[in-house]
Amino acid sequence: MANIISDEMIEYVGILAKLSLSGGEKEQARKDMGNMLDYIDRLNELDTEDVEPLYHVFPSENVFREDVVTNGDEKERMLANAPARKEDAWQVPKTVEQ
């Protein structure tokens, strides 16, 4: 796979990464990219037919409790504390003028 990495590709990747590579650095980059592509080829050879997808490294389970109403309808009790009421809501002073 390393033979498909051309000088133009090294130049292009250098431009994308905003790197100015010397001749030796370009050759080292070509070698490193070739090694990475060879490794990817090796990974593609693995048989993953019966392998379940892994969503997380650690087993996970829902740690949240069920959302159950425990205090019921206490609207009247809460509205009893209101300094002023308008229908079934607290009445507050106007805060935004138009």
Side-chain angles (χ1 to χ4, degrees):
M1 192 52 94
N3 58 356
I4 65 167
I5 302 171
S6 64
D7 292 335
E8 293 81 21
M9 185 180 291
I10 296 293
E11 287 289 329
Y12 183 66
V13 171
I15 291 169
L16 290 176
K18 298 184 180 190
L19 296 174
S20 177
L21 300 174
S22 68
E25 290 172 329
K26 288 179 185 177
E27 197 53 45
Q28 184 61 43
R30 179 191 319 276
K31 193 180 303 183
D32 290 343
M33 288 174 71
N35 288 340
M36 286 185 265
L37 292 174
D38 289 341
Y39 186 72
I40 291 170
D41 284 343
R42 285 183 54 207
L43 289 176
N44 285 334
E45 294 173 3
L46 293 175
D47 179 24
T48 58
E49 186 69 31
D50 296 324
V51 178
E52 289 291 320
L54 181 66
Y55 298 107
H56 200 280
V57 177
F58 301 108
S60 62
E61 57 188 65
N62 188 1
V63 295
F64 298 108
R65 64 172 172 75
E66 289 294 321
D67 191 16
V68 178
V69 177
T70 58
N71 59 352
D73 183 23
E74 298 189 16
K75 177 173 56 175
E76 285 302 320
R77 195 172 129 226
M78 290 189 303
L79 287 172
N81 294 322
R85 284 176 72 165
K86 183 174 183 180
E87 298 175 12
D88 284 338
W90 284 51
Q91 185 175 5
V92 296
K94 189 180 224 182
T95 57
V96 178
E97 296 293 328
Q98 290 184 354

